[in-house]
Amino acid sequence: MRADEIRDLSDADLASRLADLERERFHLRFKSGTQPLEDPLLLRTLRHEVARVKTIQRERALGIVRVAAGKVAPAKKKAKKTAKSATRGTTRRAGR
């Protein structure tokens, strides 16, 4: 599930989703100790999903609002380099 899809969920749905993911992760870890898993990367995927859900819960708790993906913030202007700063560090001292 992508972060955009997770952000569309309510707080109760997030808590439910987190509990389901943690339960599934626990069972897979337990199963991996007794027998080889069909897809060992599933543990990593579940860990990432849990992190996504917790991150979004934390964003909501702090009141952080994400900008929509289609909108882009204006870029800052780059400062022009002066002649002195552009040549700094290009010359070598004698003895090195």
Side-chain angles (χ1 to χ4, degrees):
M1 195 177 245
R2 297 183 56 204
D4 296 335
E5 296 168 354
I6 296 172
R7 283 191 180 92
D8 293 337
L9 299 175
S10 68
D11 291 337
D13 290 337
L14 277 179
S16 172
R17 178 81 176 142
L18 181 62
D20 291 342
L21 288 170
E22 288 286 358
R23 189 177 309 111
E24 187 177 353
R25 185 171 160 235
F26 172 78
H27 289 297
L28 274 177
R29 283 181 47 213
F30 193 83
K31 188 177 178 182
S32 71
T34 59
Q35 62 188 15
L37 297 175
E38 292 177 19
D39 185 11
L41 292 179
L42 189 57
L43 280 170
R44 182 187 305 173
T45 305
L46 285 173
R47 194 173 68 238
H48 287 255
E49 284 285 324
V50 167
R52 279 189 198 100
V53 171
K54 285 185 175 182
T55 299
I56 292 170
Q57 283 181 332
R58 182 69 176 153
E59 284 176 353
R60 289 183 183 178
L62 294 175
I64 298 173
V65 178
R66 291 281 181 155
V67 177
K71 297 180 181 179
V72 178
K76 293 182 180 179
K77 293 182 180 179
K78 293 183 180 180
K80 293 182 180 180
K81 291 184 179 180
T82 61
K84 185 176 182 180
S85 65
T87 59
R88 181 171 289 168
T90 58
T91 59
R92 292 189 148 184
R93 285 191 217 167
R96 279 195 166 179

